[in-house]
Amino acid sequence: MALHFVRSPVVSSARALTARVIGFVLALGLGALVLGIAGFDSLHLGRQIIVKSLGSQFGLEDLGLLYTPLLLTGLAVTVMARMGLWNIGADGQFYLGAFVTTAIGLFIKGPEPFMLVLMFFAGAAGGALWILVPTLAKAYAKVDEIITTLLLNFVALLLVYYVATGPWRDRVSGTTASTGRVPYKMPDFFGSLHWGFVIALAAPILFALALRYTKWGYEVRLSGANPDAAHYAGIPVRRRLITIMLLSGAIAGIAGMLEVAGTVHRLQGGISNNYGYLGVMVAVLARGSALGVIAGAFLMALILNAGIILQTQGLTTSAVLALTGLIMLFTAIADQFAHYRLVRPRAATA
Amino acid sequence: MDIITGILATAVLAGGVLALAALGEVLAERVGVFNLGVEGLMALGGVTGIIAVTIIPNPFFGFAMALVVGLVFGAIFALATVTFRANQVLCGLALTMLGSGLAVTVGKPYSGMPAKAQFDKVIIPYLSDLPILGRALFSQNILVYLIYLIIPAVISFVLFRTRHGMNVRAVGENPAAADSAGIPVTLIRFTYVTIGAALGAGAGAYLTLAFVPSWSDGVVAGRGWIAVALVIFAGYRPFWAVFGALLFGVITALGFVGQARNWPIAPPFLSMLPYLGTIAAMILPVFVWKRLRLSFTAPAGLGIPYFRDER
C-alpha cells in the first residue's frame, strides 16, 4: 500500500492554525496573481498597505475606526454561533441600530451624556427588535434563521434608504443621500478614534467572562453543545435561545449606534459598509470563541483597510469583497484539511 | 382586465428568475448539499451573459456562457463541499461574496448599458389569443416555457420516476446507506451540485438578458436568497418551486404596478414586499398546514458532509 490520508476527528490548535495560515497565504497569493495578471504591481500594493495602515498615527486611527464595528458584528455572529445558529442578518440589525440612533439624535433634545446613553440603549433595542421575528420563528416554529435574518437585511436597507433620501433628507447642505448631522458625538479616545472602540473591545471580553463564570453562560454553552441533553437536565433551552438571539441583534445594533454617534454622524444608504456580512467572516476566523473575535476582527480590519488603500490605487470595494470571499473559502477548506494526516502504513507482517 | 393581464405577464417574467435559481437549488439540496452561494452565482451568470452578448449579439450564446461559468464555479463549490467536505454554510457564503464581488468588479465597464441582445417573445399561435391569460402566459420569451414547464418536468421525471432518481434521492436522505448499496455518493453529489449551480448562473443571465435587461451593481438584489427560501417553502419539489416563484412574481409585479400607477405608498416600501412575503411564506405554513409540512421536510442528509470512515 502507498501513502494515504487518515482523518482524525479532533484537531490540535497548532495544526488548525497552521492549516489556516497556509490557506490564508494561498488565498492572498491567488488574489495577488489575479491582480498581477490584471496589470497591478502586487508586491508594491502589499508594501503600500502595510506602510499606510500600520506606519502612521492616521493609519492606526483609520484602522481602529474599521476595527470597532467589526468587533461588534463579529461578536454578534459569534454569540449566536455558540448556540449553533447563524446570524446572517447583522447588517440589517446594524442598520436598525443606526436608524434608531439617528431618529433620537435628530428629534430629541437633551444634555449630551444623557443623550448618548439613551442612543446606546435605543440602538441595542433597535437591533434586538430587528431579529425578534426570526427569533420567535426559530424558537416556536423551527424556521431556518439563516434566511429569515438575511432577508431582513434588504428590508432594513430599503428603510434606511427611504428615510435618508426622503423625510429625513439633509436640507442644510443639500446632499440627497443622507440625513442631517446628528448633534451628539461620542468623545474621542485617541486622535479621531472615539470611546466606542473601548466599548467594542470590552464587549467580547465581557461575553467570554459571562459565558465562563455565570450559570447563564454554562446553560448557554450546554444548550449549544447538546440541546437534548440540556433540555433533559432541566435547562430552559428555548428561553436561552431567545435571549441569545436578541442579545446578538442588540450587539449588532450597538455597532450601528456607534457608527452613527462616533464615526459617520449621519445616516446614509451605505452606512453598514457590509460590516454585518464581514462579521460572519470574523466569527468564522474566531471559531466560535468570543476572545478569538478580537483577533479575527483585527485581521478583517486590516483586509478592509487594505481595500480602502487599494481603492486609491484603482481597485474597487467589490474587489475586496471578492478577495474576502476567496479567503473565507480557503479558510473553510483549510479547517477541513487540518483533520487529515498523511500516514505511511507499517509493512504488512505475514 | 388589462391590469390583470399586465400583472400576470410581469409576474410570469419576474418569477422565471426565481424559478430557475430555485430549480438549481432543488438539485443541490436533493443530494444533501446546502448551496448558499446562489446569490453570487446569479451575479456571475448575469454579468457573463451581458459580456457575452457584447461580443456575439445572440442571447442564446450569452445564456450558454453563463451556464458554463456556473459549471466552473459550481465545480469549485462542489470540490470544496463534496470532495474536501468543508462546511457548506461557510463555502456558500464565501461563494456569494466571491461571486458578487467578482461580478461587480468585472462588470464595471458594462454597468447601466442596455443588453446588446435579448430574448424575444415567442408568441404561441391561438393560445396567445385567449382572454386575460393568453398574453400573460403564451406571449413570453422562450426561456419562460423552458423554466416553467420543460426543466421542472425533466427534473421531476428523473428524480421521481427513474431508478437513477431514486439513487439520487437516497444520497440526499441517507448517504451512508446509499454508499453501502454501491451508489457513488461523491460522484452524484458533485454532479448535481455542479448542474444546480449552472442553473443558478443561468437565472442570472435570464435576469440580465430577458427581464431587466441590463447589468448594474445591485441587480440581483437578494433574489438568490429568495430562491433558497423558496426551495424550503416548496418542500424540495420542482413544480412547487416553480409555483412558489410565480407567487413571488405576482408580489414583485404588484410592486411595479404600484409604482407605475402612483399608489400612495413610497416605492422603497413596495420594494420590501418580496422579502417580507418570503419571510411570511416561511413562517405561516408551519402554523396553517402542519400536516403538509410533515411531507415537505428537508432531505435527512441535508447540510451534513459525508465521511465514509465515520459511518
Side-chain angles (χ1 to χ4, degrees), chain A residues 6-9 34 86 88 133-134 137 140-144 146-148 150-152 154-156 158-159 161-162 165 277-278 280-281 284 314-326 328-329 332-333 335-337 340, chain B residues 34 36 39 76-77 79-80 83-87 89-91 93-102 104-105 108 221-223 225-226 228-229 232 266-269 271-272 274-276 278-279 282-283 286-287 305 307 309-310:
Chain A
V6 171
R7 185 173 199 277
S8 59
V34 173
W86 286 98
I88 317 290
V133 170
Y140 293 99
K142 293 202 167 78
V143 174
D144 188 287
I146 296 179
I147 296 161
T148 49
L150 187 125
L151 287 169
L152 283 173
F154 296 96
V155 180
L158 285 163
L159 178 71
Y161 172 80
Y162 168 71
T165 58
Y277 297 102
L278 298 174
V280 179
M281 177 70 193
V284 169
L315 278 165
T316 56
T317 37
S318 47
V320 178
L321 191 68
L323 186 65
T324 309
L326 197 66
M328 193 150 146
L329 186 68
I333 295 173
D335 278 359
Q336 194 45 239
F337 269 23
Y340 287 87
Chain B
F34 199 38
L36 287 182
E39 181 85 4
I76 293 172
F77 178 76
L79 186 73
T83 313
F84 298 154
R85 303 173 177 91
N87 184 307
V89 172
L90 292 188
C91 291
L93 290 173
L95 181 59
T96 287
M97 287 188 190
L98 179 63
S100 307
L102 206 58
V104 172
T105 309
K108 214 178 175 196
R223 286 188 178 87
W225 296 103
I226 294 179
V228 174
I232 301 171
F269 290 100
S271 306
M272 286 176 194
Y275 311 110
L276 295 175
T278 308
I279 293 169
M282 290 187 74
I283 297 173
V286 183
F287 297 104
F307 298 98
D309 43 0
E310 284 177 7

Side-chain angles (χ1 to χ4, degrees), chain B residues 244-287:
Chain B
L246 187 61
L247 276 185
F248 282 98
V250 172
I251 297 177
T252 311
L254 280 177
F256 286 160
V257 171
Q259 285 184 37
R261 298 188 162 238
N262 280 319
W263 286 358
I265 307 169
F269 290 100
L270 291 170
S271 306
M272 286 176 194
L273 286 177
Y275 311 110
L276 295 175
T278 308
I279 293 169
M282 290 187 74
I283 297 173
L284 293 180
V286 183
F287 297 104

Side-chain angles (χ1 to χ4, degrees), chain A residues 10-297:
Chain A
V10 232
V11 183
S12 68
S13 331
R15 274 186 74 84
L17 197 64
T18 316
R20 281 194 163 196
V21 170
I22 295 172
F24 188 75
V25 169
L26 282 178
L28 278 189
L30 192 59
L33 188 71
V34 173
L35 284 180
I37 293 169
F40 289 93
D41 183 349
S42 301
L43 280 180
H44 174 70
L45 288 178
R47 207 173 310 125
Q48 287 270 313
I49 289 161
I50 292 172
V51 170
K52 283 196 178 167
S53 52
L54 299 176
S56 72
Q57 190 185 335
F58 286 123
L60 286 175
E61 284 170 23
D62 284 349
L63 196 65
L65 289 178
L66 296 171
Y67 193 15
T68 304
L70 287 170
L71 276 165
L72 290 168
T73 53
L75 179 64
V77 181
T78 300
V79 162
M80 261 174 69
R82 289 312 300 243
M83 289 280 278
L85 303 166
W86 286 98
N87 180 5
I88 317 290
D91 229 49
Q93 295 137 24
F94 183 102
Y95 270 122
L96 250 284
F99 172 85
V100 176
T101 304
T102 310
I104 288 175
L106 289 178
F107 301 110
I108 299 178
K109 300 239 175 306
E112 190 160 53
F114 169 77
M115 288 306 291
L116 284 172
V117 172
L118 181 66
M119 283 153 83
F120 182 84
F121 286 103
L129 184 74
W130 207 240
I131 204 175
L132 185 64
V133 170
T135 302
L136 297 178
K138 179 73 188 182
Y140 293 99
K142 293 202 167 78
V143 174
D144 188 287
E145 79 288 352
I146 296 179
I147 296 161
T148 49
T149 54
L150 187 125
L151 287 169
L152 283 173
N153 289 346
F154 296 96
V155 180
L157 174 62
L158 285 163
L159 178 71
V160 165
Y161 172 80
Y162 168 71
V163 294
T165 58
W168 298 357
R169 194 178 66 243
D170 186 3
R171 286 165 221 278
V172 180
S173 69
T175 51
T176 50
S178 81
T179 65
R181 197 180 159 83
V182 174
Y184 310 102
K185 188 177 170 302
M186 289 294 288
D188 284 336
F189 162 69
F190 170 76
S192 64
L193 192 57
H194 52 84
W195 274 90
F197 171 70
V198 180
I199 296 174
L201 201 60
I205 298 171
L206 282 177
F207 180 72
L209 289 175
L211 214 53
R212 182 81 182 77
Y213 293 110
T214 66
K215 175 164 171 280
W216 176 83
Y218 172 74
E219 291 181 352
V220 165
R221 279 186 288 141
L222 192 60
S223 307
N226 190 337
D228 293 334
H231 182 72
Y232 185 71
I235 293 171
V237 176
R238 182 181 284 168
R239 218 183 299 157
R240 293 293 165 267
L241 182 142
I242 293 172
T243 47
I244 276 289
M245 284 183 75
L246 294 180
L247 177 67
S248 173
I251 293 171
I254 291 169
M257 176 270 169
L258 291 176
E259 193 69 6
V260 169
T263 309
V264 183
H265 306 298
R266 50 183 82 222
L267 187 65
Q268 57 199 31
I271 195 170
S272 90
N273 198 16
N274 286 330
Y275 287 133
Y277 297 102
L278 298 174
V280 179
M281 177 70 193
V282 170
V284 169
L285 291 170
R287 291 176 76 105
S289 144
L291 293 177
V293 167
I294 295 175

